[in-house]
Amino acid sequence: MKPIGRVRYMDAQRVNLDGFAVEDPALGLVALHSPDDPEPSLTVAGGRVSEMDGVRAEDFDSIDAFIAAHGLDLAVAEAAMALSEVELARMMVDPSVPRAEVVRLCGGITPAKMARVVALLRPAELTMAMTKLRARRTPSNQAHVTNRLDDPLLLAADAATAAAFGFRELETTVPVLGDAWSNAVAVSIGSAAGAAGVLVQCSVEEAMELELGMRGFASYAETISIYGTERVFTDGDDTPWSKAFLASAYASRGMKMRVTSGAGAEVLMGEPERRSMLYLESRCVSLAKAMGAQGVQNGGIDGASVAAAVPRGVRELMAENVMVMARGLESCSGNDALMSESDVRRTSRTLPILLAGSDYVCSGFGSIQRYDNMFGPSQWNAEDIDDFLVMQRDWGVDGGLRTAPADLEGLRRRAARAVQAVYRHFGLYDYSDAQVEAAVDAAGSKDLTESDGATVLAISGNIRSSRLTMDDVVKALRETGFAVEAGRLDAMLRARLDGDHLQTAAIFTEDMRVLSAVTDPNDYAGPGTGYEPSPVRQAEIDAIRQARSVEDLRAEQLAHRVPVRVLGPAGPGGDPGEVVIGLSPATGRDVWLTLCGMPVVDVLRELLAGLAEEGCTGRIVRFNDTIDLGMIGLSAARLSGSGIGIGLQGKGTALIHRSDLAPLANLELYSIAPALSAADYRLLGANAARHARGLTPAPARNPYTDEAIEARYHTKVVSLIAIERGHCTGAAPEELSL
């Protein structure tokens, strides 16, 4: 049977593009608790773990064995395991319990215990726990910079743009593996054009990624995937030991490094072992700690939509991040996979993390458009940057981003030209100035001419085979006139020798200071403590590009100024065919443009034309004693020979009034000024004339709109009213002529 209209309308909404699953522990489709999750337990004998979470040492799989050997602080384990889950959960939230004490105790609890603890936290409590437990005091953010064509000029321009927006880490990848070398070089150069101290990753096959790092083209890595079941590990020819060895290889080469995990991975690979997603991720986090990784990128990365499909799944995603923080690791919060097509659900998933603050609020905000994101669409993409900036401003919180500078075009051009110059210098490719300009202007790769696909592959192959290093690129930049970019990239190479950025949650500021858990520890201990944006940073957060002041409005109005002539004091009229159009005090002085975009003089001409069509004449009178539209209209009616008046505020709101009515009563009202048109004003004039002739016309009605008129225009209205109020002098009304 066909559903009713209301249901058909609901079915058409974007939330119904999402998939939703019935909870099924047998398939691992369960967020927080599965009947097969083990009971927390720990037995230590002779300084070694003999039993953990119900499994004896001789029955440990490789994950259990690695965690038991390297991931538990046995000095604190007995005391920590003796605490109830409720006690530990309350300690995570209680501001009076220092973060260090929570991290110390959590170092001694097993994966099953940790999962039980964070599962107790309600959503608001997860937010409180994250506020307190994140490693670094100052929040930050990470971006994806990719495109469908692997176009190096566009990559550089977009990397500069992302750095200008405040992202402190940039991650690129490739649709074609062989393009990786060119992509890494282009993004590194572009990031240096945008800001100093930006860490860059090229996410590709692990051996190549390490080689890129060793040659200076990448400065961090995070796509070292770990899993919560042994079968999934071995399917990828990996073990905890091989991943730990890889982690140490990165760190020993001065590359910042964290691992990646997240709910839903084991479900997607068919090996969840009937366990909850939270428990499996707790094993991953314990493993990351045991490996000595700096941190974890988790919270439902590629499996975000799987977790979000089950009840309490989004809550589980945030609980994953809290587990990382409780283990004393840096958290790169999993906001890099689009978990929903619903803007409401996307926002509900990220907002608590934004409010709490995270070491990285997003693990890969797609700073490019969705279609250019070669990781797949992110939770947030270029289409959403303005929304994210406004959310920061709305709540007064720091999500790591800022409005890009006014000369973004110049910044993009410099980045693209730097890549053009370096590629020419090494004989890699001669990009034309026209290609540079196309990349500068492009919103995405669809705005570029499609390449043959072989060009970038050849460039990249030559970079790899020629054994170029970042030091060579630095020299080339200096020789081709890009000393600033050369200096920034050279500073990053030198910083990698120092290794201070290998501390937990490390980022570089734009003056190359390292902020980390060591140099910038989170000191939240309740209200009045912890991170608060400095006045300079708060001003940066507040200064979104859409904000307008009264002076901005005055300038906009002045651009539409058309002189009007004051004829003298206005008195009563005697012509029964006359209708007076009453204006507000600033109209024709400082207010010249209505909210619908029509100049005031054009509105007046339409009103006069409507009156004339119905055989009446119009007289224009400006009132200087009130800004109230009802009083303006009534005063106009009392001066009118017909007893009918039109009231018009400079912002465009209009009404028809009659001399014998109360001020707040009227015959017809246009209350939604932004939606009005020339035809609407002409109709109002015609209806006023019909009233003057004693007729009863069909009322003119406000045009329909489902826009958020109040949100869009009320700030402008406040400024207009302030201007109007400034001209409200109490002087006698005056007659005007166009």
Side-chain angles (χ1 to χ4, degrees):
M1 188 172 74
K2 184 179 180 180
I4 62 171
R6 173 59 68 88
V7 175
R8 294 198 303 274
Y9 177 76
M10 292 172 67
D11 285 346
Q13 303 311 305
R14 294 189 66 81
V15 71
N16 291 297
L17 296 174
D18 298 345
F20 298 96
V22 174
E23 196 171 68
D24 189 341
L27 295 177
L29 290 171
V30 56
L32 302 177
H33 302 285
S34 169
D36 290 305
D37 285 349
E39 288 292 322
S41 63
L42 183 67
T43 304
V44 179
R48 298 173 65 87
V49 175
S50 59
E51 183 270 342
M52 183 176 69
D53 292 339
V55 181
R56 295 179 303 177
E58 55 267 32
D59 298 322
F60 282 167
D61 64 11
S62 59
I63 299 173
D64 290 327
F66 200 93
I67 293 170
H70 306 288
L72 293 172
D73 182 355
L74 299 185
V76 74
E78 182 179 0
M81 290 297 291
L83 294 170
S84 72
E85 282 101 23
V86 171
E87 286 177 291
L88 281 168
R90 288 177 177 174
M91 292 173 75
M92 287 183 175
V93 174
D94 187 350
S96 67
V97 179
R99 173 187 180 273
E101 176 63 7
V102 175
V103 172
R104 185 183 75 87
L105 290 169
C106 287
I109 64 176
T110 65
K113 182 93 168 181
M114 177 67 84
R116 291 280 187 92
V117 170
V118 296
L120 290 172
L121 299 177
R122 296 181 177 90
E125 293 161 351
L126 286 168
T127 304
M128 287 298 299
M130 184 173 281
T131 303
K132 170 179 164 179
L133 294 177
R134 74 170 185 267
R136 189 178 60 246
R137 188 173 187 267
T138 306
S140 186
N141 222 321
Q142 181 203 88
H144 287 165
V145 180
T146 63
N147 66 61
R148 295 178 310 118
L149 306 177
D150 286 337
D151 184 278
L153 302 179
L154 183 58
L155 285 168
D158 285 342
T161 301
F165 273 115
F167 292 103
R168 302 311 297 158
E169 288 187 354
L170 303 185
E171 180 182 15
T172 190
T173 192
V174 292
V176 177
L177 179 61
D179 293 348
W181 294 85
S182 174
N183 282 30
V185 171
V187 171
S188 294
I189 293 172
S191 71
V198 179
L199 292 157
V200 172
Q201 174 191 190
C202 186
S203 177
V204 289
E205 184 273 329
E206 291 165 344
M208 182 182 289
E209 188 170 8
L210 183 57
E211 187 180 356
L212 286 164
M214 292 172 67
R215 285 165 63 176
F217 298 138
S219 44
Y220 82 98
E222 69 180 353
T223 48
I224 296 86
S225 299
I226 59 175
Y227 304 97
T229 63
E230 187 177 57
R231 178 64 181 273
V232 176
F233 250 121
T234 56
D235 279 351
D237 295 325
D238 278 310
T239 69
W241 285 269
S242 66
K243 291 293 188 180
F245 180 81
L246 183 62
S248 66
Y250 281 112
S252 66
R253 270 70 177 178
M255 289 186 71
K256 176 179 164 64
M257 179 269 167
R258 56 181 170 261
V259 297
T260 294
S261 56
E266 298 85 5
V267 179
L268 285 170
M269 297 181 190
E271 287 292 340
E273 297 180 352
R274 304 175 65 91
R275 307 296 175 86
S276 70
M277 297 184 203
L278 186 63
Y279 168 70
L280 293 180
E281 184 56 21
S282 184
R283 296 188 89 197
C284 291
V285 174
S286 297
L287 187 57
K289 181 71 173 179
M291 289 167 55
Q294 284 176 256
V296 183
Q297 174 187 227
N298 77 345
I301 307 302
D302 292 335
S305 57
V306 177
V310 301
R312 295 169 297 282
V314 172
R315 179 170 164 180
E316 189 278 340
L317 295 177
M318 188 171 180
E320 294 183 21
N321 303 143
V322 171
M323 288 194 296
V324 172
M325 297 172 178
R327 293 286 188 196
L329 302 171
E330 78 180 30
S331 173
C332 196
S333 312
N335 277 299
D336 71 337
L338 186 66
M339 49 74 67
S340 174
E341 287 292 344
S342 161
D343 291 341
V344 175
R345 291 190 75 210
R346 287 195 302 128
T347 305
S348 77
R349 185 266 181 280
T350 304
L351 184 58
I353 298 170
L354 175 64
L355 297 180
S358 179
D359 298 318
Y360 302 90
V361 174
C362 294
S363 61
F365 189 124
S367 67
I368 65 286
Q369 291 191 61
R370 277 192 186 193
Y371 71 78
D372 263 335
N373 196 331
M374 293 299 100
F375 293 95
S378 288
Q379 178 82 342
W380 300 86
N381 300 279
E383 298 92 325
D384 308 305
I385 285 179
D386 277 337
D387 297 81
F388 194 92
L389 291 169
V390 171
M391 285 202 304
Q392 287 186 153
R393 185 179 190 261
D394 286 344
W395 287 96
V397 298
D398 192 342
L401 302 191
R402 64 191 176 205
T403 297
D407 188 27
L408 188 58
E409 178 182 343
L411 202 64
R412 289 175 64 86
R413 182 171 291 110
R414 185 168 180 87
R417 284 182 174 171
V419 169
Q420 177 194 42
V422 168
Y423 282 26
R424 280 178 177 172
H425 180 87
F426 291 121
L428 296 169
Y429 192 77
D430 188 7
Y431 282 103
S432 69
D433 290 346
Q435 288 172 300
V436 167
E437 291 305 310
V440 170
D441 185 62
S445 64
K446 290 181 180 179
D447 297 331
L448 304 179
T449 302
E450 290 279 348
S451 66
D452 58 10
T455 300
V456 176
L457 192 61
I459 293 169
S460 192
N462 287 333
I463 293 172
R464 187 178 194 183
S465 62
S466 65
R467 308 304 299 171
L468 286 173
T469 67
M470 183 59 81
D471 193 48
D472 297 315
V473 171
V474 168
K475 292 174 184 175
L477 285 167
R478 284 204 177 99
E479 291 176 18
T480 55
F482 294 91
V484 171
E485 292 76 8
R488 289 172 175 175
L489 292 174
D490 187 52
M492 182 62 72
L493 291 175
R494 294 174 185 274
R496 286 179 58 182
L497 294 176
D498 293 337
D500 290 345
H501 67 298
L502 301 182
Q503 298 292 342
T504 299
I507 57 171
F508 289 100
T509 64
E510 292 188 29
D511 59 0
M512 293 304 290
R513 290 182 298 113
V514 174
L515 299 183
S516 69
V518 174
T519 62
D520 185 38
N522 183 11
D523 58 353
Y524 179 79
T529 67
Y531 177 79
E532 190 71 23
S534 68
V536 172
R537 175 60 181 140
Q538 192 63 61
E540 195 174 54
I541 291 168
D542 294 345
I544 58 172
R545 64 190 182 91
Q546 300 91 338
R548 298 290 183 271
S549 68
V550 174
E551 292 311 309
D552 292 327
L553 185 71
R554 285 183 185 275
E556 178 187 43
Q557 290 286 332
L558 187 61
H560 296 272
R561 183 177 181 273
V562 175
V564 295
R565 191 155 54 99
V566 179
L567 302 179
D575 181 358
E578 175 194 73
V579 173
V580 170
I581 302 173
L583 304 182
S584 55
T587 307
R589 289 189 173 109
D590 282 337
V591 178
W592 304 94
L593 186 69
T594 67
L595 293 177
C596 74
M598 284 183 65
V600 171
V601 292
D602 289 349
V603 171
L604 290 171
R605 290 191 179 104
E606 293 298 333
L607 292 172
L608 292 169
L611 290 169
E613 287 172 1
E614 293 295 326
C616 288
T617 59
R619 184 159 58 107
I620 303 171
V621 175
R622 182 166 58 203
F623 292 90
N624 300 304
D625 59 345
T626 182
I627 65 170
D628 180 79
L629 183 60
M631 282 304 304
I632 292 169
L634 179 59
S635 299
R638 288 174 176 172
L639 290 183
S640 174
S642 66
I644 298 295
I646 295 174
L648 177 66
Q649 287 180 324
K651 64 188 177 72
T653 309
L655 54 72
I656 302 173
H657 223 305
R658 197 173 66 205
S659 60
D660 61 338
L661 296 176
L664 295 181
N666 56 71
L667 298 174
E668 298 179 24
L669 170 66
Y670 281 158
S671 60
I672 307 180
L676 298 174
S677 67
D680 295 316
Y681 286 116
R682 183 172 289 234
L683 175 59
L684 193 73
N687 274 6
R690 292 168 187 146
H691 284 293
R693 291 167 50 202
L695 304 176
T696 307
R701 299 186 183 276
N702 284 284
Y704 173 75
T705 178
D706 60 1
E707 286 186 11
I709 292 294
E710 292 186 1
R712 185 174 178 185
Y713 291 100
H714 264 191
T715 53
K716 186 174 282 191
V717 168
V718 169
S719 297
L720 283 170
I721 291 299
I723 293 171
E724 293 274 20
R725 186 72 69 184
H727 288 283
C728 193
T729 63
E734 51 195 353
E735 189 168 337
L736 306 180
S737 169
L738 298 183

